[in-house]
Amino acid sequence: MTGRPIRVLVVEDEKLLADAHREYVERIPGFTTVAVARSGQDALRELSRRAIDLVLLDFYLPDMSGLDVCRAMRSAGVAADVIAVTSAREMETVRAAISQGVVQYLLKPFSFAAMRDKLQSYAKYRAALDHDTTAQDQAVVDRALAVLRGSPETALPKGLSQATLSLLAEALEARTEPASASDLAAVTGVSRVTARRYLEHLVANGAAEQSLRYAKAGRPEILYFPRSR
């Protein structure tokens, strides 16, 4: 991931859990914890005075519910995204959370891997939305939402397979410098045309970027590299 890290506010009243969640966030590239709040009011104060992109929000707080925090955020015009981090399992609560704009729901107890998967999906979702300021068609929106929900299979256009996409993505990630479609076709065994189609898909979804290499004569060559580089 390039650019500044995603700024996270951890909202958790239990100190051991708050420390653990902060540590988890710091272990994931592209994220940084800018503050920890131990109550709903503390969270709202932090949101009013800091630039925060994402809130990891416990729903059982000593002074107010996480849903009330969400409502107060939206009433105040705070646009930060929210991931619920809670033991609340009632489907009514889940539905209410979605209605308040909660983008993901992580049930306690959970492992580091579970949080990492949620945050990485969220980062890909942000990258997909940031890549284009305007959705050219329905598929662009569907792909962004599918990434957020952890459904990469449904995010693929017709004719693309997840196995080949993973193959090209891994080959690209393994490169130490930008590579052309021909370079990656040679190491993966697919045709240059196929490699380029998958690489363009990675670019469209924010997982890769491209640059041009100019020769003395002829058309410039398109080079690809992971967005994290």
Side-chain angles (χ1 to χ4, degrees):
M1 180 180 298
T2 59
R4 66 166 178 77
I6 295 172
R7 299 162 296 198
V8 179
L9 169 64
V10 172
V11 185
E12 170 61 60
D13 64 310
E14 295 187 30
K15 185 178 187 305
L16 288 177
L17 289 179
D19 290 344
H21 296 171
R22 177 177 58 189
E23 179 185 348
Y24 282 178
V25 170
E26 295 300 323
R27 289 170 60 186
I28 302 171
F31 291 84
T32 185
T33 303
V34 297
V36 175
R38 303 284 296 281
S39 70
Q41 290 297 333
D42 285 345
L44 294 173
R45 278 192 288 271
E46 293 292 347
L47 287 162
S48 69
R49 67 184 186 182
R50 297 177 186 268
I52 291 170
D53 303 307
L54 177 65
V55 182
L56 301 184
L57 180 62
D58 182 17
F59 270 24
Y60 293 135
L61 298 169
D63 57 343
M64 60 196 300
S65 74
L67 287 173
D68 287 338
V69 173
C70 289
R71 295 184 185 103
M73 285 174 57
R74 302 318 177 202
S75 295
V78 175
D81 289 320
V82 176
I83 294 179
V85 181
T86 178
S87 57
R89 286 169 161 75
E90 301 83 3
M91 291 309 296
E92 181 179 355
T93 302
V94 176
R95 286 193 294 270
I98 293 171
S99 72
Q100 293 300 319
V102 171
V103 296
Q104 289 182 333
Y105 203 96
L106 183 58
L107 282 173
K108 297 177 182 178
F110 55 84
S111 64
F112 167 69
M115 178 176 278
R116 180 192 61 206
D117 290 346
K118 292 292 186 186
L119 293 189
Q120 288 179 339
S121 292
Y122 173 75
K124 291 176 182 177
Y125 158 75
R126 282 181 62 99
L129 293 185
D130 291 344
H131 184 264
D132 293 307
T133 57
T134 303
Q136 299 302 313
D137 53 37
Q138 181 66 43
V140 173
V141 177
D142 290 343
R143 286 195 294 269
L145 294 178
V147 167
L148 178 62
R149 304 305 179 194
S151 307
E153 289 283 357
T154 60
L156 293 179
K158 184 177 180 180
L160 299 189
S161 76
Q162 186 62 39
T164 305
L165 180 64
S166 297
L167 179 67
L168 266 296
E170 290 171 6
L172 183 63
E173 189 68 38
R175 302 282 300 196
T176 58
E177 57 186 21
S180 68
S182 297
D183 294 332
L184 292 165
V187 298
T188 58
V190 303
S191 71
R192 183 189 64 80
V193 172
T194 297
R196 181 167 182 177
R197 187 179 179 198
Y198 280 90
L199 290 166
E200 291 295 333
H201 175 74
L202 291 172
V203 170
N205 282 275
E209 297 184 69
Q210 59 184 206
S211 61
L212 296 177
R213 179 167 60 194
Y214 292 90
K216 291 183 178 179
R219 298 173 62 183
E221 185 177 30
I222 300 174
L223 300 179
Y224 302 87
F225 54 96
R227 191 176 181 88
S228 58
R229 188 159 300 165

